[in-house]
Amino acid sequence: MKALEIHNLVKIFKTKKGQSVHALNDLSFDVMQGEVFGFLGPNGAGKSTTIKTLVGLITPSSGNALINGVPVSTGTARLKVGYLPENPAFYDYLTPEEYLTYVARSFLVPVAEVPRCIEQTLKLLELWDARKRQMRSFSKGMVQRVGLAQVLVHDPDIYILDEPMSGLDPLGRSLVKNIILELKNRGKTVFFSTHITDDVEKVCDRVGIIVKGSLVAVNNVENLLKGGVEGYLVSLQSADSTLQNLAPFSVLRQSGTIFEYYIPKDGFNRFMELVIRSGSEVVLVETRRKNLEDYFLSLVK
Amino acid sequence: MGGTKRHILSFCLFCLCYGLILGPFVNYMHNKPYAEKLGVLPTIATLKFLSADQKLLIGSSLVMRVITYFGGLAEMAKNKIEIPPDFPVMSRTIHAAVKLDPYNNDAYYFAQSFLVWDVGQIDIANSLLIEGMRYRTWDWYLPYFVGFNYAYFKHDFKSAAYYYQKAAELSGQELHINLAGRFMQESGQIDHAISYLTLMAKDASNPVAKKTFETRLTAFKQVSLIEKARDRFTLKYNRLPESVDELVRTGLLDKTPSDPYGGTFFLLPDGKVGTSSKFAFKNPKGNRPDSGATP
Amino acid sequence: MLNHFEITFKSIIRDRIFHGIIFSALIFLLIPSVATLSMRQATELSMTLSLSLISFILLLLSLFLGGTHLWRDIERRYTYPVLSWPSSRSAYLVGKFSGIAAFIFLVALLLGGVAVLTVLITAGIYPPERPIVWNLFFLSIFFDACKYILIVAFAFLFSSVATSFFLPVFGSICIYFVGNASQQVHDYINAPATIGISSITKNMATFVYYILPNFSAFDFKINAVYRVPIQVSGVLMTGVYFVVYLCMVISVATLLFEKREMN
Ligand SMILES: Nc1ncnc2c1ncn2[C@@H]1O[C@H](COP(=O)(O)OP(=O)(O)OP(=O)(O)O)[C@@H](O)[C@H]1O
Ligand SMILES: [Mg+2]
């Protein structure tokens, strides 16, 4: 079943000076139910425009979009949707607790369950201690966390997130990744935009790449990475004199007595033989996989 | 830290400067002629537009301005500073005020207090009051004022009787009808004025107005005393007295009556009582049509 | 909708500018002493001043709340999440508007109470010639509040298309003046004494008069201050006019707001 359908979406913005900006050119794709879909694209590609169209904030110049088969122009289409805007802002004179109550009531969460839902989400996003503080005193990352909280609090089926990781510290990023994975396990649909390929690799089932308002590729992340291991990054600790033994392989980087080598997949066994013979000590071996970033960059250029 | 100190220092310096100019400034503002403060008035149409839904407020504030202006003049006159009052502007301001708030009692009252006595614009005052009667339909003061003006200033006893009748109907008091009857004789004039002023002074709540009325009342009572003495003199000696002093000398007056306006009373050749103050604290030329004599 | 209403209410109460405006209600303390300046109508003057102060505070509130509230929500992008919720945009707008309207009524009621005290104090010192008619006094305050709610509605109408606060704030100030003058201008143009106005101008002026709000209808200050009785039909007429005109303005506002792009 399709959770989101986008058909031939075109959006032309008119600027105040009368110029027109083609933000979306005949964009079409679907997101399946229970799928985590990453929406990747450079700045100004049209990701936010697509997402705003999906949640009814802007009307497309032509084409249409459906949520669970219902046109987005109907308000009730969004009853089971959680939306996180990019760089979100919330009524700063409210506390997170009050704001989430407002959200939960608007999504018709049964009154009796509201406090429990709020407690759960606030604790999950580590905002519990700040729940009674007005949001005007919040840091950027805290506001982003409130943004995630207001998406999660009413437990929707479809999550539409515009750059959910932006403004978060590493702990927060990994938290968000875990949350998305958890949602996926519970069979929820997640559609999120990002510039960061690594995020997509870690959590997405599929990825769509948008450039200048057109979709240039939709791919299964697993397929993309199936090529698997391309090579290895090996760090050795050794004295300069022993390095001649490894002559066929060139040093990638050196710091002190640590030497780093990039070894293609088929040369690994031979390299390891030489290492053992030279008496160097292996400090670290990292696998080098086929990279989504390279793929992305090749598409964009 | 040094920066903070410097700031505090310069602040103190400014405070000092302020303290220095404050005295002269306040003094200047205090002596600034009131006429200037009354200022110019926009046209009534503009006023109406600008005052939007605050017409009553603007109307009241115009009246207040005139009252304080006038009060200030009286104050200065006492201190022997003579500033010619700008009667045309006062009159225009009162007119604008009743255009904004046709019910404003203060405006009518004030018009009656100064337009008639000090400016002598009886017709203007009466037309204002008669216009006001269309709105303040319950208020007997307005026809009473009009009646008084007709009788006392214009000697039009027929019109006076008509308005006194109206006042009597509204107030339910016979007083005004009686009054109307009394003005038929000219000799009753000063008593008429006294009874009018007594009433006005009695229910004036504004101290300035009360004071104005009381002063005039005191003066008129003195005039009345002199007139009574004069009449007794005429009866006794069969001629008019030559001066107020003569009345005192013959024992018909206890002592020389003093004019609260600071003038001295004298007798005119026809026997009428006059005063050098002309019943006013100040006497700017051309602004007072009254002679020094009572009517 | 009730939800939006509640949040709006909260936001007003927590607003500093609102606190400042309410602070100006302290001027009520001055009224009894200012009223003594009057020569013959101290009570009337204190009523005038009280009603004017209420009007003034309500005007500030309506301009400030109406002019900035919706606009600020859009400007600060608070609307992004909120408008993506299932409730419709019109519910959001109407909820917000009724929050402000209810607030204005509440403030009018509170200030009305204070005004009654003020007038009673003055009347205690300088008993009025004729008894005060409190019904008229409250009626006047009520319709005053209605008038300012109409101004809020206009501010919302302007906010629903505006990209800066100039239009909502200055637009509603214009509406305030125009609405108060419309009847006057109409009367002037149609007075028999007025000559030299072509019939085309007259018809156009009449047409504009029909469209513009007529705030003179809401002005019962004279009746309240000088106890001039009002006909019941007049009160009903004004009430009906208020409701119908308000619905009209708000419906245009929602229409424009529904169509508006959020970006
Ligand atoms: N209101 C607007 N008026 C005119 N042009 C607009 C408007 N909003 C967006 N655009 C243009 O549409 C294009 C797509 O913008 P969009 O915000 O969707 O990009 P994005 O992919 O989200 O970029 P980013 O990664 O920086 O968030 C841009 O070229 C932008 O300039
Ligand atoms: Mg974006």
Side-chain angles (χ1 to χ4, degrees), chain A residues 11 86 96 129 198 202 208 223 228-229 281:
Chain A
K11 180 68 197 179
E86 73 178 327
D129 293 332
D198 189 50
K202 296 243 166 70
N223 286 344
V229 183
E281 189 186 336

Side-chain angles (χ1 to χ4, degrees), chain A residues 47-49 86 162-163 193 195:
Chain A
K47 302 181 293 294
S48 301
T49 307
E86 73 178 327
D162 204 347
E163 299 185 23
S193 79
H195 319 104

Side-chain angles (χ1 to χ4, degrees), chain C residues 12 58-72 97 100 104 148-149 151-160 165 168-169 172:
Chain C
I12 300 171
L58 292 184
L59 172 69
L60 286 185
L61 273 181
S62 63
L63 290 180
F64 153 68
L65 295 178
T68 65
H69 233 71
L70 185 58
W71 168 76
R72 195 182 52 187
F97 173 77
I100 294 178
I104 284 187
Y148 291 112
I149 284 168
I151 289 180
V152 173
F154 270 101
F156 265 56
L157 173 64
F158 295 136
S159 301
S160 66
F165 75 96
V169 171
S172 14

Side-chain angles (χ1 to χ4, degrees), chain A residues 52 57 83 85-86, chain C residues 77-84 262-263:
Chain A
K52 283 185 196 166
L57 289 176
Y83 162 58
E86 73 178 327
Chain C
R77 296 182 288 119
Y78 296 153
T79 42
Y80 278 12
V82 176
L83 294 183
S84 76
M262 290 296 148
N263 52 53

Side-chain angles (χ1 to χ4, degrees), chain B residues 53-54 56, chain C residues 47-55 58 105 108-109 112 115 133-148 215-228 230 235 238:
Chain B
D53 61 348
Q54 300 283 25
L56 293 196
Chain C
M47 286 170 103
T48 303
L49 293 177
S50 303
L51 291 178
S52 283
L53 185 57
I54 293 179
S55 267
L58 292 184
F105 271 132
L109 191 72
V133 182
W134 292 113
N135 288 350
L136 289 176
F137 192 67
F138 281 115
L139 199 79
S140 157
I141 296 179
F142 173 76
F143 278 113
D144 222 33
C146 289
K147 173 172 63 195
Y148 291 112
F215 292 150
S216 313
F218 295 88
D219 198 349
F220 291 111
K221 283 203 185 83
I222 284 214
N223 304 74
V225 173
Y226 297 105
R227 284 79 95 180
V228 179
I230 316 172
V235 175
T238 311

